[in-house]
């Protein structure tokens, strides 16, 4: 079970990373362009990407201010956490250096701008369908 990172337009493979086959998921971290605070987006692969959680500080400027149907917005220390089940197909991330876009991994962060200047597509491969973390 692995995460395959490719350049979205060209399809050029950039990296393969092992995922936990029992709960294949990744967290993408970035600095909010206006607030300057860190936003953490967690995606589960079922097998397609589903945004299951977003953690952030502050309000406004594209951040959730209320939970939608089937979502839950809760205070999380000084910040907020929204729990949701939003399919994201395809999951494409622009590796903006100014926002320090990165994958949080056990071995440390992987800075996406070091892989490519182009939009990066994330997809799982070889993971069991129907896996349901969170």
């Amino acid at each position: 079970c692995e995460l395959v990172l490719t350049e979205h337009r060209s399809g050029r493979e950039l990296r393969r990373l092992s995922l936990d086959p029992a709960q294949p998921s990744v967290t993408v971290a970035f600095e909010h362009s206006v607030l300057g605070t860190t936003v953490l987006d967690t995606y589960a692969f079922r097998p397609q990407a589903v945004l299951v959680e977003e953690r952030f500080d502050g309000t406004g400027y594209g951040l959730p201010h209320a939970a939608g149907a089937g979502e839950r917005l809760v205070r999380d220390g000084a910040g907020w956490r929204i729990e949701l089940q939003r399919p994201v197909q395809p999951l494409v991330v622009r590796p903006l250096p100014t926002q320090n876009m990165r994958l949080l991994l056990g071995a440390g962060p992987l800075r996406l701008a070091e892989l490519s200047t182009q939009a990066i597509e994330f997809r799982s491969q070889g993971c069991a369908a129907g896996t349901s973390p969170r």
Side-chain angles (χ1 to χ4, degrees):
C1 178
E2 57 190 357
L3 178 68
V4 181
L5 304 176
T6 57
E7 284 185 347
H8 178 58
R9 297 280 182 212
S10 72
R12 182 173 71 94
E13 188 171 304
L14 301 169
R15 182 78 55 98
R16 287 178 178 254
L17 302 164
S18 294
L19 292 175
D20 177 352
Q23 294 188 342
S25 64
V26 296
T27 298
V28 177
F30 62 93
E31 306 314 313
H32 191 279
S33 62
V34 175
L35 300 175
T37 57
T38 301
V39 177
L40 303 171
D41 288 340
T42 300
Y43 298 90
F45 293 94
R46 303 184 179 152
Q48 270 67 36
V50 177
L51 178 61
V52 294
E53 181 180 271
E54 186 170 63
R55 292 175 182 264
F56 56 93
D57 292 331
T59 57
Y61 307 106
L63 295 171
H65 65 279
E71 299 176 351
R72 191 170 90 114
L73 180 64
V74 296
R75 201 72 170 137
D76 186 28
W80 295 94
R81 180 180 73 244
I82 188 162
E83 299 166 356
L84 60 165
Q85 300 293 318
R86 184 178 300 155
V88 181
Q89 187 58 32
L91 173 53
V92 176
V93 174
R94 295 202 178 277
L96 303 171
T98 57
Q99 289 186 286
N100 193 20
M101 301 293 289
R102 59 207 182 274
L103 273 177
L104 300 184
L105 306 168
L110 173 62
R111 296 191 187 328
L112 297 177
E114 293 175 4
L115 298 179
S116 178
T117 59
Q118 306 299 309
I120 298 173
E121 183 172 349
F122 293 49
R123 61 182 169 78
S124 66
Q125 184 173 335
C127 302
T131 308
S132 182
R134 296 197 176 116

